[in-house]
Amino acid sequence: MKSVLLLSLGILLLSDGCKQDLAPACPNAGALAGQATQLLGTVYYDRARGSYGIQVATSMDSADMGLTCNLPAEYQKELTKVRFSGTYYADEQSTGGPVGYRYYYLSISSIATP
């Protein structure tokens, strides 16, 4: 009986752990590409796309740029440092930015200034 209870509890915990409270996908976004959890980034405006993005350095000369679809108005200022969480989606129409940069769509679930 004890093992049945432990097994049931384990299954319940595992199935609950699979649920994700994701922000809605951005329009025109591709497949799920990854999660951002409390990353530090900088807000930029992509004039070619007409969209704000959050850039996260991945090395000295490369970065991931998440083109946001739901950046709150109070953070829509270039060079603002932010700490955010959200979901990255594939960007099927990348503009071919600088070498070493990867572009994604980013649906933000939480954001704050560091």
Side-chain angles (χ1 to χ4, degrees):
M1 180 67 172
K2 195 178 207 181
S3 62
V4 171
L5 282 173
L6 288 175
L7 181 60
S8 298
L9 180 61
I11 291 172
L12 180 64
L13 289 174
L14 286 174
S15 66
D16 192 47
C18 292
K19 293 179 184 175
Q20 296 180 345
D21 186 24
L22 301 178
C26 298
N28 302 318
L32 179 68
Q35 293 294 119
T37 305
Q38 293 298 304
L39 294 180
L40 184 61
T42 305
V43 175
Y44 287 96
Y45 186 74
D46 184 326
R47 283 158 183 65
R49 292 284 191 80
S51 176
Y52 282 93
I54 299 176
Q55 179 178 302
V56 177
T58 55
S59 74
M60 285 180 49
D61 59 354
S62 63
D64 289 344
M65 175 64 91
L67 299 169
T68 62
C69 56
N70 62 339
L71 184 65
E74 62 266 27
Y75 296 101
Q76 293 181 9
K77 182 178 178 191
E78 285 198 277
L79 303 179
T80 300
K81 300 287 186 199
V82 294
R83 185 164 302 279
F84 69 98
S85 295
T87 306
Y88 284 113
Y89 295 93
D91 176 7
E92 306 298 337
Q93 50 181 316
S94 180
T95 59
V99 173
Y101 276 57
R102 293 180 296 193
Y103 284 81
Y104 300 94
Y105 286 103
L106 172 61
S107 182
I108 298 169
S109 59
S110 70
I111 189 167
T113 53

